[in-house]
Amino acid sequence: MAVTSGYMTADKTVLMNAIRHFVPVTDSDEAVIDQLFEPYRLEPNDFFLKAGEVCRYVGFVTTGLLRYYLLDDGDEHTYDFSSEQTFTCNYESFLPQTPSTRYIQAVEPTTLLRISYDNLQELYKRLQHGQQFGRLVSEQLFVVMLQKLTAFYRETADERYDSFIRLFPDLIDRLPQYIVASYIGVKPQSLSRIRAQRAGKHY
């Protein structure tokens, strides 16, 4: 994993557009964003964050794919993904700056623009709509996480597989089967049966 020097104009444009999804961005805001974010790269299986570490960065994925998981008696329980044009962070660790209980790991070669905890506080202060941006992002993440948690406890494995396809339609061919199985809460062989049954029913 490495911090790289400079970043592409295209990456910067995608980041600016993602922030504009929440708040207006002025020319002076762009200069602040450009100053406070830095490029970062992960190879497959590298970690953006490990359990036991304090999450010190928020990342914005420009290319690649990350997964979030927990370990329970040695078993991995995947619960979310970040692909292109999404932010990545364990806010449970990042906001209070306490050790994480979760992992964030690259599935593919992944490039990001990341911002440290201190620089994010600076961003909130210096952007014209910085505080509003922080609040809106936090609210969106909170609602999405609650929806996923509720679905996990209410849905069958078949229904969770449907939810996975609905939420991450572009990831089905990018993820190993064991990670998809981990996300829907079944063993890989059970996922194989679900897929076989659907193939037989012409899904």
Side-chain angles (χ1 to χ4, degrees):
M1 66 186 75
V3 176
T4 57
S5 58
Y7 55 92
M8 300 294 291
T9 300
D11 293 345
K12 174 183 171 182
T13 299
V14 172
L15 173 61
M16 297 299 175
N17 288 340
I19 295 174
R20 285 191 180 95
H21 175 75
F22 295 96
V23 295
V25 176
T26 66
D27 289 344
S28 61
D29 288 340
E30 285 198 26
V32 171
I33 294 166
D34 195 36
Q35 175 189 352
L36 296 179
F37 277 85
E38 65 180 8
Y40 193 67
R41 179 175 175 84
L42 296 168
E43 297 303 325
N45 299 317
D46 283 348
F47 288 91
F48 183 80
L49 177 69
K50 292 181 180 180
E53 298 177 344
V54 174
C55 186
R56 302 193 185 279
Y57 295 92
V58 173
F60 178 76
V61 181
T62 56
T63 62
L65 176 61
L66 301 166
R67 67 156 176 153
Y68 302 65
Y69 71 91
L70 300 162
L71 277 181
D72 180 21
D73 291 332
D75 292 329
E76 296 178 1
H77 299 283
T78 301
Y79 66 92
D80 207 357
F81 305 97
S82 287
S83 57
E84 291 83 359
Q85 301 183 36
T86 60
F87 289 96
T88 182
C89 184
N90 177 7
Y91 287 91
E92 180 184 53
S93 168
F94 182 80
L95 294 176
Q97 288 291 278
T98 57
S100 174
T101 59
R102 305 157 192 270
Y103 296 81
I104 304 177
Q105 184 182 38
V107 178
E108 302 173 348
T110 301
T111 57
L112 309 100
L113 299 173
R114 70 177 189 176
I115 185 168
S116 69
Y117 178 88
D118 289 340
N119 281 345
L120 185 60
Q121 308 316 306
E122 189 70 15
L123 186 84
Y124 292 157
K125 288 189 292 186
R126 293 172 61 185
L127 291 194
Q128 184 174 342
H129 300 283
Q131 295 295 332
Q132 182 185 8
F133 170 66
R135 177 176 57 79
L136 291 174
V137 171
S138 298
E139 288 174 355
Q140 183 186 71
L141 289 168
F142 180 70
V143 169
V144 169
M145 188 56 64
L146 278 181
Q147 289 172 339
K148 289 178 180 176
L149 183 63
T150 300
F152 185 83
Y153 285 105
R154 288 184 176 176
E155 294 177 346
T156 65
D158 262 33
E159 290 169 338
R160 290 197 295 272
Y161 185 60
D162 286 334
S163 295
F164 167 78
I165 294 172
R166 185 181 70 255
L167 290 168
F168 307 107
D170 60 326
L171 301 189
I172 192 68
D173 295 322
R174 295 171 63 180
L175 289 167
Q177 179 161 302
Y178 81 94
I179 292 181
V180 179
S182 171
Y183 180 83
I184 67 173
V186 299
K187 298 295 184 184
Q189 54 268 34
S190 297
L191 176 59
S192 294
R193 284 195 293 272
I194 291 172
R195 287 178 164 173
Q197 289 169 354
R198 286 168 180 248
K201 294 176 182 178
H202 307 290
Y203 273 73

